[in-house]
Amino acid sequence: MINNITIMGRLTADPELVKLEASEYCRFSIATARPKKKDAETAETDFFSCISWNSTANIIAKYFSKGDMIVIGGHLRNNVYKKNGEKRVFTEILVREIHFTGTKKSEEQELPAVTEYTEENPPF
């Protein structure tokens, strides 16, 4: 059976590293935009809960913050719990790998104007 997921999105809050006796973990959420529908004014956004452990958690907590773009790979995991005697299921992404993508949100700048080349202004 296959249970793989790869998502690219922006962190919705600063990730926080939690240290346990023998390991550490980091929980965070990623927002991804769906393609905009023809008649819609804006695109819809999906939010995914994520958890990473040990070295992956350390890297995320150290190098990423709210608004930063990230690509994660891992698998989906269902956590079952009871609340007021009712069974509930919480789905999250167990992050196994991360990829850096471009600049941090805080470092993004407006792109410079594109230079138009003409016979009077050639590119060489």
Side-chain angles (χ1 to χ4, degrees):
M1 291 186 204
I2 298 173
N3 181 356
N4 289 320
I5 187 166
T6 302
I7 292 182
M8 178 176 174
R10 294 199 180 273
L11 272 69
T12 61
D14 290 336
E16 188 174 325
L17 189 66
V18 177
K19 296 186 181 204
L20 303 173
E21 208 171 291
S23 61
E24 43 205 10
Y25 69 91
C26 178
R27 285 192 186 277
F28 57 97
S29 179
I30 293 179
T32 61
R34 293 186 205 167
K36 189 173 113 175
K37 295 179 182 177
K38 288 182 183 180
D39 299 337
E41 288 185 28
T42 59
E44 294 182 34
T45 303
D46 291 311
F47 298 89
F48 297 95
S49 298
C50 306
I51 187 168
S52 60
W53 289 88
N54 301 317
S55 62
T56 307
N58 276 304
I59 292 169
I60 292 169
K62 182 175 180 179
Y63 294 105
F64 291 93
S65 58
K66 180 180 180 176
D68 289 344
M69 185 72 72
I70 188 172
V71 175
I72 60 167
H75 64 268
L76 294 175
R77 179 172 72 179
N78 288 330
N79 296 308
V80 181
Y81 65 97
K82 285 191 175 187
K83 183 174 182 180
N84 300 328
E86 186 178 322
K87 180 181 170 182
R88 303 208 180 210
V89 178
F90 175 75
T91 302
E92 65 186 348
I93 299 171
L94 178 57
V95 179
R96 297 282 184 195
E97 60 184 66
I98 59 166
H99 301 275
F100 292 84
T101 60
T103 60
K104 297 171 79 62
K105 174 88 170 163
S106 58
E107 296 172 357
E108 286 183 2
Q109 299 174 357
E110 193 173 311
L111 294 175
V114 175
T115 304
E116 290 188 30
Y117 296 110
T118 61
E119 287 182 23
E120 293 82 31
N121 180 25
F124 44 88

PDB file of all heavy atoms in Angstrom, residues 83-116:
ATOM      1  N   LYS A  83     -13.733  12.479  22.800  1.00  0.00           N
ATOM      2  CA  LYS A  83     -14.069  13.745  23.434  1.00  0.00           C
ATOM      3  C   LYS A  83     -15.539  13.678  23.801  1.00  0.00           C
ATOM      4  O   LYS A  83     -16.385  13.457  22.942  1.00  0.00           O
ATOM      5  CB  LYS A  83     -13.808  14.915  22.484  1.00  0.00           C
ATOM      6  CG  LYS A  83     -14.075  16.254  23.110  1.00  0.00           C
ATOM      7  CD  LYS A  83     -13.677  17.388  22.190  1.00  0.00           C
ATOM      8  CE  LYS A  83     -13.930  18.709  22.883  1.00  0.00           C
ATOM      9  NZ  LYS A  83     -13.545  19.830  22.016  1.00  0.00           N
ATOM     10  N   ASN A  84     -15.811  13.819  25.088  1.00  0.00           N
ATOM     11  CA  ASN A  84     -17.179  13.694  25.597  1.00  0.00           C
ATOM     12  C   ASN A  84     -17.806  12.365  25.196  1.00  0.00           C
ATOM     13  O   ASN A  84     -18.970  12.291  24.840  1.00  0.00           O
ATOM     14  CB  ASN A  84     -18.052  14.858  25.116  1.00  0.00           C
ATOM     15  CG  ASN A  84     -17.541  16.194  25.577  1.00  0.00           C
ATOM     16  OD1 ASN A  84     -16.950  16.307  26.656  1.00  0.00           O
ATOM     17  ND2 ASN A  84     -17.743  17.212  24.768  1.00  0.00           N
ATOM     18  N   GLY A  85     -16.999  11.298  25.223  1.00  0.00           N
ATOM     19  CA  GLY A  85     -17.473   9.965  24.890  1.00  0.00           C
ATOM     20  C   GLY A  85     -17.653   9.717  23.401  1.00  0.00           C
ATOM     21  O   GLY A  85     -18.053   8.627  22.999  1.00  0.00           O
ATOM     22  N   GLU A  86     -17.363  10.709  22.578  1.00  0.00           N
ATOM     23  CA  GLU A  86     -17.522  10.569  21.131  1.00  0.00           C
ATOM     24  C   GLU A  86     -16.166  10.366  20.471  1.00  0.00           C
ATOM     25  O   GLU A  86     -15.206  11.071  20.740  1.00  0.00           O
ATOM     26  CB  GLU A  86     -18.172  11.844  20.571  1.00  0.00           C
ATOM     27  CG  GLU A  86     -18.512  11.760  19.113  1.00  0.00           C
ATOM     28  CD  GLU A  86     -19.189  13.045  18.635  1.00  0.00           C
ATOM     29  OE1 GLU A  86     -19.995  13.620  19.381  1.00  0.00           O
ATOM     30  OE2 GLU A  86     -18.869  13.456  17.500  1.00  0.00           O
ATOM     31  N   LYS A  87     -16.100   9.373  19.580  1.00  0.00           N
ATOM     32  CA  LYS A  87     -14.866   9.073  18.862  1.00  0.00           C
ATOM     33  C   LYS A  87     -14.596  10.146  17.812  1.00  0.00           C
ATOM     34  O   LYS A  87     -15.473  10.500  17.027  1.00  0.00           O
ATOM     35  CB  LYS A  87     -14.974   7.699  18.200  1.00  0.00           C
ATOM     36  CG  LYS A  87     -13.756   7.286  17.423  1.00  0.00           C
ATOM     37  CD  LYS A  87     -13.972   5.926  16.782  1.00  0.00           C
ATOM     38  CE  LYS A  87     -12.889   5.593  15.807  1.00  0.00           C
ATOM     39  NZ  LYS A  87     -13.103   4.312  15.149  1.00  0.00           N
ATOM     40  N   ARG A  88     -13.372  10.662  17.809  1.00  0.00           N
ATOM     41  CA  ARG A  88     -12.969  11.679  16.835  1.00  0.00           C
ATOM     42  C   ARG A  88     -11.681  11.244  16.156  1.00  0.00           C
ATOM     43  O   ARG A  88     -10.890  10.520  16.734  1.00  0.00           O
ATOM     44  CB  ARG A  88     -12.753  13.011  17.512  1.00  0.00           C
ATOM     45  CG  ARG A  88     -13.986  13.474  18.247  1.00  0.00           C
ATOM     46  CD  ARG A  88     -14.040  14.918  18.328  1.00  0.00           C
ATOM     47  NE  ARG A  88     -15.246  15.304  19.044  1.00  0.00           N
ATOM     48  CZ  ARG A  88     -15.886  16.410  18.818  1.00  0.00           C
ATOM     49  NH1 ARG A  88     -15.443  17.230  17.903  1.00  0.00           N
ATOM     50  NH2 ARG A  88     -16.954  16.713  19.494  1.00  0.00           N
ATOM     51  N   VAL A  89     -11.495  11.714  14.925  1.00  0.00           N
ATOM     52  CA  VAL A  89     -10.297  11.388  14.165  1.00  0.00           C
ATOM     53  C   VAL A  89      -9.631  12.693  13.736  1.00  0.00           C
ATOM     54  O   VAL A  89     -10.285  13.595  13.220  1.00  0.00           O
ATOM     55  CB  VAL A  89     -10.634  10.538  12.918  1.00  0.00           C
ATOM     56  CG1 VAL A  89      -9.382  10.251  12.114  1.00  0.00           C
ATOM     57  CG2 VAL A  89     -11.323   9.251  13.318  1.00  0.00           C
ATOM     58  N   PHE A  90      -8.342  12.776  13.977  1.00  0.00           N
ATOM     59  CA  PHE A  90      -7.542  13.939  13.613  1.00  0.00           C
ATOM     60  C   PHE A  90      -6.476  13.470  12.632  1.00  0.00           C
ATOM     61  O   PHE A  90      -5.675  12.606  12.949  1.00  0.00           O
ATOM     62  CB  PHE A  90      -6.897  14.512  14.885  1.00  0.00           C
ATOM     63  CG  PHE A  90      -5.960  15.640  14.650  1.00  0.00           C
ATOM     64  CD1 PHE A  90      -6.435  16.892  14.340  1.00  0.00           C
ATOM     65  CD2 PHE A  90      -4.592  15.463  14.744  1.00  0.00           C
ATOM     66  CE1 PHE A  90      -5.576  17.946  14.139  1.00  0.00           C
ATOM     67  CE2 PHE A  90      -3.715  16.502  14.539  1.00  0.00           C
ATOM     68  CZ  PHE A  90      -4.210  17.752  14.228  1.00  0.00           C
ATOM     69  N   THR A  91      -6.482  14.013  11.423  1.00  0.00           N
ATOM     70  CA  THR A  91      -5.519  13.615  10.400  1.00  0.00           C
ATOM     71  C   THR A  91      -4.406  14.648  10.329  1.00  0.00           C
ATOM     72  O   THR A  91      -4.661  15.849  10.330  1.00  0.00           O
ATOM     73  CB  THR A  91      -6.197  13.492   9.030  1.00  0.00           C
ATOM     74  OG1 THR A  91      -7.262  12.544   9.131  1.00  0.00           O
ATOM     75  CG2 THR A  91      -5.227  13.022   7.973  1.00  0.00           C
ATOM     76  N   GLU A  92      -3.163  14.171  10.281  1.00  0.00           N
ATOM     77  CA  GLU A  92      -2.022  15.066  10.165  1.00  0.00           C
ATOM     78  C   GLU A  92      -0.981  14.444   9.243  1.00  0.00           C
ATOM     79  O   GLU A  92      -1.032  13.259   8.941  1.00  0.00           O
ATOM     80  CB  GLU A  92      -1.405  15.388  11.526  1.00  0.00           C
ATOM     81  CG  GLU A  92      -0.793  14.208  12.230  1.00  0.00           C
ATOM     82  CD  GLU A  92      -0.313  14.545  13.630  1.00  0.00           C
ATOM     83  OE1 GLU A  92      -0.238  15.726  13.995  1.00  0.00           O
ATOM     84  OE2 GLU A  92      -0.020  13.598  14.364  1.00  0.00           O
ATOM     85  N   ILE A  93      -0.054  15.284   8.803  1.00  0.00           N
ATOM     86  CA  ILE A  93       1.043  14.814   7.959  1.00  0.00           C
ATOM     87  C   ILE A  93       2.247  14.558   8.847  1.00  0.00           C
ATOM     88  O   ILE A  93       2.675  15.448   9.581  1.00  0.00           O
ATOM     89  CB  ILE A  93       1.398  15.851   6.880  1.00  0.00           C
ATOM     90  CG1 ILE A  93       0.192  16.106   5.975  1.00  0.00           C
ATOM     91  CG2 ILE A  93       2.610  15.388   6.077  1.00  0.00           C
ATOM     92  CD1 ILE A  93       0.373  17.274   5.021  1.00  0.00           C
ATOM     93  N   LEU A  94       2.762  13.345   8.797  1.00  0.00           N
ATOM     94  CA  LEU A  94       3.998  13.012   9.501  1.00  0.00           C
ATOM     95  C   LEU A  94       5.133  13.331   8.531  1.00  0.00           C
ATOM     96  O   LEU A  94       5.307  12.653   7.521  1.00  0.00           O
ATOM     97  CB  LEU A  94       4.024  11.540   9.910  1.00  0.00           C
ATOM     98  CG  LEU A  94       5.283  11.066  10.620  1.00  0.00           C
ATOM     99  CD1 LEU A  94       5.557  11.892  11.872  1.00  0.00           C
ATOM    100  CD2 LEU A  94       5.162   9.607  10.980  1.00  0.00           C
ATOM    101  N   VAL A  95       5.863  14.397   8.813  1.00  0.00           N
ATOM    102  CA  VAL A  95       6.876  14.923   7.897  1.00  0.00           C
ATOM    103  C   VAL A  95       8.157  14.112   8.012  1.00  0.00           C
ATOM    104  O   VAL A  95       8.714  13.970   9.095  1.00  0.00           O
ATOM    105  CB  VAL A  95       7.152  16.410   8.191  1.00  0.00           C
ATOM    106  CG1 VAL A  95       8.223  16.949   7.268  1.00  0.00           C
ATOM    107  CG2 VAL A  95       5.867  17.216   8.074  1.00  0.00           C
ATOM    108  N   ARG A  96       8.610  13.604   6.886  1.00  0.00           N
ATOM    109  CA  ARG A  96       9.857  12.835   6.817  1.00  0.00           C
ATOM    110  C   ARG A  96      10.982  13.621   6.155  1.00  0.00           C
ATOM    111  O   ARG A  96      12.145  13.379   6.398  1.00  0.00           O
ATOM    112  CB  ARG A  96       9.640  11.537   6.033  1.00  0.00           C
ATOM    113  CG  ARG A  96       8.661  10.600   6.665  1.00  0.00           C
ATOM    114  CD  ARG A  96       9.297   9.884   7.794  1.00  0.00           C
ATOM    115  NE  ARG A  96       8.359   8.903   8.325  1.00  0.00           N
ATOM    116  CZ  ARG A  96       8.527   8.329   9.473  1.00  0.00           C
ATOM    117  NH1 ARG A  96       9.566   8.604  10.209  1.00  0.00           N
ATOM    118  NH2 ARG A  96       7.658   7.458   9.912  1.00  0.00           N
ATOM    119  N   GLU A  97      10.615  14.550   5.259  1.00  0.00           N
ATOM    120  CA  GLU A  97      11.637  15.333   4.561  1.00  0.00           C
ATOM    121  C   GLU A  97      11.112  16.728   4.282  1.00  0.00           C
ATOM    122  O   GLU A  97       9.906  16.946   4.185  1.00  0.00           O
ATOM    123  CB  GLU A  97      12.052  14.668   3.257  1.00  0.00           C
ATOM    124  CG  GLU A  97      10.925  14.491   2.266  1.00  0.00           C
ATOM    125  CD  GLU A  97      11.349  13.742   1.026  1.00  0.00           C
ATOM    126  OE1 GLU A  97      11.671  12.546   1.146  1.00  0.00           O
ATOM    127  OE2 GLU A  97      11.348  14.361  -0.048  1.00  0.00           O
ATOM    128  N   ILE A  98      12.039  17.674   4.173  1.00  0.00           N
ATOM    129  CA  ILE A  98      11.688  19.054   3.865  1.00  0.00           C
ATOM    130  C   ILE A  98      12.582  19.552   2.744  1.00  0.00           C
ATOM    131  O   ILE A  98      13.678  19.031   2.540  1.00  0.00           O
ATOM    132  CB  ILE A  98      11.826  19.976   5.087  1.00  0.00           C
ATOM    133  CG1 ILE A  98      13.256  19.949   5.610  1.00  0.00           C
ATOM    134  CG2 ILE A  98      10.844  19.607   6.155  1.00  0.00           C
ATOM    135  CD1 ILE A  98      13.575  21.035   6.573  1.00  0.00           C
ATOM    136  N   HIS A  99      12.084  20.556   2.034  1.00  0.00           N
ATOM    137  CA  HIS A  99      12.853  21.178   0.965  1.00  0.00           C
ATOM    138  C   HIS A  99      12.700  22.687   1.095  1.00  0.00           C
ATOM    139  O   HIS A  99      11.596  23.185   1.289  1.00  0.00           O
ATOM    140  CB  HIS A  99      12.355  20.723  -0.409  1.00  0.00           C
ATOM    141  CG  HIS A  99      12.430  19.245  -0.588  1.00  0.00           C
ATOM    142  ND1 HIS A  99      13.570  18.608  -1.004  1.00  0.00           N
ATOM    143  CD2 HIS A  99      11.511  18.279  -0.376  1.00  0.00           C
ATOM    144  CE1 HIS A  99      13.348  17.304  -1.059  1.00  0.00           C
ATOM    145  NE2 HIS A  99      12.097  17.082  -0.680  1.00  0.00           N
ATOM    146  N   PHE A 100      13.815  23.385   0.981  1.00  0.00           N
ATOM    147  CA  PHE A 100      13.792  24.842   0.989  1.00  0.00           C
ATOM    148  C   PHE A 100      13.363  25.317  -0.392  1.00  0.00           C
ATOM    149  O   PHE A 100      13.740  24.740  -1.402  1.00  0.00           O
ATOM    150  CB  PHE A 100      15.179  25.391   1.322  1.00  0.00           C
ATOM    151  CG  PHE A 100      15.592  25.115   2.741  1.00  0.00           C
ATOM    152  CD1 PHE A 100      16.158  23.903   3.096  1.00  0.00           C
ATOM    153  CD2 PHE A 100      15.408  26.072   3.723  1.00  0.00           C
ATOM    154  CE1 PHE A 100      16.540  23.637   4.394  1.00  0.00           C
ATOM    155  CE2 PHE A 100      15.791  25.828   5.032  1.00  0.00           C
ATOM    156  CZ  PHE A 100      16.355  24.610   5.369  1.00  0.00           C
ATOM    157  N   THR A 101      12.588  26.394  -0.439  1.00  0.00           N
ATOM    158  CA  THR A 101      12.103  26.910  -1.720  1.00  0.00           C
ATOM    159  C   THR A 101      12.299  28.416  -1.779  1.00  0.00           C
ATOM    160  O   THR A 101      11.540  29.169  -1.195  1.00  0.00           O
ATOM    161  CB  THR A 101      10.611  26.623  -1.908  1.00  0.00           C
ATOM    162  OG1 THR A 101       9.905  27.251  -0.848  1.00  0.00           O
ATOM    163  CG2 THR A 101      10.322  25.143  -1.905  1.00  0.00           C
ATOM    164  N   GLY A 102      13.319  28.860  -2.460  1.00  0.00           N
ATOM    165  CA  GLY A 102      13.514  30.293  -2.662  1.00  0.00           C
ATOM    166  C   GLY A 102      13.809  31.052  -1.394  1.00  0.00           C
ATOM    167  O   GLY A 102      14.405  30.534  -0.461  1.00  0.00           O
ATOM    168  N   THR A 103      13.324  32.286  -1.345  1.00  0.00           N
ATOM    169  CA  THR A 103      13.612  33.159  -0.220  1.00  0.00           C
ATOM    170  C   THR A 103      12.546  33.042   0.855  1.00  0.00           C
ATOM    171  O   THR A 103      11.457  32.547   0.623  1.00  0.00           O
ATOM    172  CB  THR A 103      13.666  34.630  -0.679  1.00  0.00           C
ATOM    173  OG1 THR A 103      12.390  34.972  -1.228  1.00  0.00           O
ATOM    174  CG2 THR A 103      14.742  34.850  -1.710  1.00  0.00           C
ATOM    175  N   LYS A 104      12.885  33.551   2.020  1.00  0.00           N
ATOM    176  CA  LYS A 104      11.930  33.607   3.103  1.00  0.00           C
ATOM    177  C   LYS A 104      10.918  34.705   2.804  1.00  0.00           C
ATOM    178  O   LYS A 104      11.225  35.659   2.111  1.00  0.00           O
ATOM    179  CB  LYS A 104      12.647  33.896   4.421  1.00  0.00           C
ATOM    180  CG  LYS A 104      13.621  32.795   4.816  1.00  0.00           C
ATOM    181  CD  LYS A 104      14.462  33.197   5.992  1.00  0.00           C
ATOM    182  CE  LYS A 104      13.789  33.093   7.311  1.00  0.00           C
ATOM    183  NZ  LYS A 104      13.334  31.827   7.778  1.00  0.00           N
ATOM    184  N   LYS A 105       9.715  34.590   3.318  1.00  0.00           N
ATOM    185  CA  LYS A 105       8.665  35.575   3.088  1.00  0.00           C
ATOM    186  C   LYS A 105       9.149  36.969   3.485  1.00  0.00           C
ATOM    187  O   LYS A 105       8.909  37.945   2.788  1.00  0.00           O
ATOM    188  CB  LYS A 105       7.417  35.190   3.887  1.00  0.00           C
ATOM    189  CG  LYS A 105       6.300  36.180   3.850  1.00  0.00           C
ATOM    190  CD  LYS A 105       5.402  35.943   2.703  1.00  0.00           C
ATOM    191  CE  LYS A 105       4.161  36.801   2.847  1.00  0.00           C
ATOM    192  NZ  LYS A 105       3.452  36.917   1.639  1.00  0.00           N
ATOM    193  N   SER A 106       9.874  37.075   4.577  1.00  0.00           N
ATOM    194  CA  SER A 106      10.350  38.366   5.060  1.00  0.00           C
ATOM    195  C   SER A 106      11.411  38.970   4.148  1.00  0.00           C
ATOM    196  O   SER A 106      11.665  40.161   4.203  1.00  0.00           O
ATOM    197  CB  SER A 106      10.904  38.216   6.476  1.00  0.00           C
ATOM    198  OG  SER A 106      11.956  37.267   6.477  1.00  0.00           O
ATOM    199  N   GLU A 107      12.063  38.155   3.313  1.00  0.00           N
ATOM    200  CA  GLU A 107      13.114  38.641   2.432  1.00  0.00           C
ATOM    201  C   GLU A 107      12.631  38.911   1.012  1.00  0.00           C
ATOM    202  O   GLU A 107      13.374  39.415   0.190  1.00  0.00           O
ATOM    203  CB  GLU A 107      14.264  37.629   2.370  1.00  0.00           C
ATOM    204  CG  GLU A 107      14.964  37.439   3.688  1.00  0.00           C
ATOM    205  CD  GLU A 107      15.966  36.298   3.650  1.00  0.00           C
ATOM    206  OE1 GLU A 107      16.066  35.617   2.612  1.00  0.00           O
ATOM    207  OE2 GLU A 107      16.637  36.087   4.653  1.00  0.00           O
ATOM    208  N   GLU A 108      11.381  38.552   0.716  1.00  0.00           N
ATOM    209  CA  GLU A 108      10.873  38.736  -0.632  1.00  0.00           C
ATOM    210  C   GLU A 108      10.759  40.220  -0.934  1.00  0.00           C
ATOM    211  O   GLU A 108      10.342  41.011  -0.110  1.00  0.00           O
ATOM    212  CB  GLU A 108       9.506  38.072  -0.802  1.00  0.00           C
ATOM    213  CG  GLU A 108       9.589  36.574  -0.884  1.00  0.00           C
ATOM    214  CD  GLU A 108       8.243  35.935  -1.118  1.00  0.00           C
ATOM    215  OE1 GLU A 108       7.236  36.648  -1.260  1.00  0.00           O
ATOM    216  OE2 GLU A 108       8.198  34.697  -1.160  1.00  0.00           O
ATOM    217  N   GLN A 109      11.159  40.575  -2.119  1.00  0.00           N
ATOM    218  CA  GLN A 109      11.089  41.961  -2.558  1.00  0.00           C
ATOM    219  C   GLN A 109      10.381  42.002  -3.893  1.00  0.00           C
ATOM    220  O   GLN A 109      10.243  40.999  -4.579  1.00  0.00           O
ATOM    221  CB  GLN A 109      12.496  42.540  -2.700  1.00  0.00           C
ATOM    222  CG  GLN A 109      13.273  42.542  -1.413  1.00  0.00           C
ATOM    223  CD  GLN A 109      14.719  42.988  -1.641  1.00  0.00           C
ATOM    224  OE1 GLN A 109      15.125  43.241  -2.755  1.00  0.00           O
ATOM    225  NE2 GLN A 109      15.467  43.070  -0.572  1.00  0.00           N
ATOM    226  N   GLU A 110       9.972  43.200  -4.243  1.00  0.00           N
ATOM    227  CA  GLU A 110       9.335  43.367  -5.545  1.00  0.00           C
ATOM    228  C   GLU A 110      10.366  43.096  -6.640  1.00  0.00           C
ATOM    229  O   GLU A 110      11.514  43.514  -6.544  1.00  0.00           O
ATOM    230  CB  GLU A 110       8.805  44.788  -5.663  1.00  0.00           C
ATOM    231  CG  GLU A 110       7.868  44.975  -6.824  1.00  0.00           C
ATOM    232  CD  GLU A 110       7.234  46.344  -6.809  1.00  0.00           C
ATOM    233  OE1 GLU A 110       6.727  46.736  -5.754  1.00  0.00           O
ATOM    234  OE2 GLU A 110       7.277  46.998  -7.860  1.00  0.00           O
ATOM    235  N   LEU A 111       9.962  42.369  -7.669  1.00  0.00           N
ATOM    236  CA  LEU A 111      10.876  42.057  -8.761  1.00  0.00           C
ATOM    237  C   LEU A 111      11.237  43.324  -9.521  1.00  0.00           C
ATOM    238  O   LEU A 111      10.397  44.207  -9.697  1.00  0.00           O
ATOM    239  CB  LEU A 111      10.233  41.049  -9.713  1.00  0.00           C
ATOM    240  CG  LEU A 111       9.984  39.662  -9.139  1.00  0.00           C
ATOM    241  CD1 LEU A 111       9.223  38.826 -10.160  1.00  0.00           C
ATOM    242  CD2 LEU A 111      11.289  38.988  -8.781  1.00  0.00           C
ATOM    243  N   PRO A 112      12.483  43.426  -9.977  1.00  0.00           N
ATOM    244  CA  PRO A 112      12.856  44.613 -10.749  1.00  0.00           C
ATOM    245  C   PRO A 112      12.113  44.639 -12.081  1.00  0.00           C
ATOM    246  O   PRO A 112      11.684  43.610 -12.585  1.00  0.00           O
ATOM    247  CB  PRO A 112      14.364  44.438 -10.957  1.00  0.00           C
ATOM    248  CG  PRO A 112      14.620  42.991 -10.772  1.00  0.00           C
ATOM    249  CD  PRO A 112      13.570  42.485  -9.820  1.00  0.00           C
ATOM    250  N   ALA A 113      11.980  45.834 -12.622  1.00  0.00           N
ATOM    251  CA  ALA A 113      11.299  45.994 -13.898  1.00  0.00           C
ATOM    252  C   ALA A 113      12.063  45.251 -14.993  1.00  0.00           C
ATOM    253  O   ALA A 113      13.283  45.164 -14.966  1.00  0.00           O
ATOM    254  CB  ALA A 113      11.192  47.476 -14.251  1.00  0.00           C
ATOM    255  N   VAL A 114      11.329  44.713 -15.951  1.00  0.00           N
ATOM    256  CA  VAL A 114      11.936  43.992 -17.064  1.00  0.00           C
ATOM    257  C   VAL A 114      12.438  45.016 -18.080  1.00  0.00           C
ATOM    258  O   VAL A 114      11.712  45.938 -18.461  1.00  0.00           O
ATOM    259  CB  VAL A 114      10.916  43.042 -17.725  1.00  0.00           C
ATOM    260  CG1 VAL A 114      11.504  42.389 -18.951  1.00  0.00           C
ATOM    261  CG2 VAL A 114      10.445  42.015 -16.720  1.00  0.00           C
ATOM    262  N   THR A 115      13.676  44.851 -18.493  1.00  0.00           N
ATOM    263  CA  THR A 115      14.241  45.759 -19.487  1.00  0.00           C
ATOM    264  C   THR A 115      13.796  45.330 -20.874  1.00  0.00           C
ATOM    265  O   THR A 115      13.932  44.169 -21.244  1.00  0.00           O
ATOM    266  CB  THR A 115      15.784  45.739 -19.414  1.00  0.00           C
ATOM    267  OG1 THR A 115      16.179  46.060 -18.097  1.00  0.00           O
ATOM    268  CG2 THR A 115      16.385  46.718 -20.395  1.00  0.00           C
ATOM    269  N   GLU A 116      13.265  46.285 -21.617  1.00  0.00           N
ATOM    270  CA  GLU A 116      12.858  45.989 -22.990  1.00  0.00           C
ATOM    271  C   GLU A 116      14.033  46.298 -23.905  1.00  0.00           C
ATOM    272  O   GLU A 116      14.630  47.371 -23.828  1.00  0.00           O
ATOM    273  CB  GLU A 116      11.652  46.824 -23.381  1.00  0.00           C
ATOM    274  CG  GLU A 116      10.391  46.399 -22.672  1.00  0.00           C
ATOM    275  CD  GLU A 116       9.170  47.120 -23.215  1.00  0.00           C
ATOM    276  OE1 GLU A 116       9.158  47.475 -24.416  1.00  0.00           O
ATOM    277  OE2 GLU A 116       8.252  47.320 -22.432  1.00  0.00           O
TER     278      GLU A 116
END
